[in-house]
Amino acid sequence: TELTGLDRLQNENYLSSVKKHAHQFWELPDWLQDSGLSAKVRVHIDSQGVVIKRYMVAGSGNAQFDEKVLEAVDKASPFPSPPEKFVDRLEIQGMDLGFPE
């Protein structure tokens, strides 16, 4: 079910902090910097913010770029611990992180 009201705002704030955290670990070689590529990865985390599963939901079409996306997620683990009320949702449904978004 979709979140509404305060739960939705808290979830959006948490996801924003997770994205900011993940992007600190994203490094591209110079030759990929201006490639215009993008990818999306689904990340499942536990109550401590540790990645328990991650996989590409929309690859870029470039294996090196996609590898750097997954590498950033791996290096970023553990993520900030989620609010308790979102733990089940993040373990089961996960969250999508876009790169370079």
Side-chain angles (χ1 to χ4, degrees):
T1 62
E2 289 299 313
L3 298 173
T4 58
L6 186 56
D7 284 345
R8 182 179 182 150
L9 180 60
Q10 289 173 331
N11 185 63
E12 288 173 1
N13 286 339
Y14 175 71
L15 292 179
S16 177
S17 70
V18 165
K19 289 176 183 179
K20 184 177 179 180
H21 178 76
H23 284 248
Q24 293 177 47
F25 296 90
W26 192 46
E27 300 174 7
L28 285 177
D30 289 341
W31 62 274
L32 277 175
Q33 290 289 333
D34 297 321
S35 64
L37 298 171
S38 65
K40 188 176 291 186
V41 62
R42 180 150 306 143
V43 181
H44 297 254
I45 63 172
D46 67 14
S47 63
Q48 303 301 311
V50 175
V51 173
I52 52 178
K53 180 169 52 171
R54 56 37 165 191
Y55 54 91
M56 300 300 290
V57 291
S60 68
N62 180 296
Q64 290 89 359
F65 185 92
D66 293 349
E67 183 179 313
K68 290 295 185 182
V69 168
L70 294 173
E71 186 178 291
V73 169
D74 293 341
K75 286 181 178 180
S77 183
F79 287 91
S81 297
E84 189 174 328
K85 60 183 160 186
F86 301 132
V87 169
D88 288 344
R89 179 184 201 94
L90 291 168
E91 285 182 350
I92 297 166
Q93 296 177 2
M95 62 186 153
D96 290 347
L97 298 177
F99 291 82
E101 302 169 12

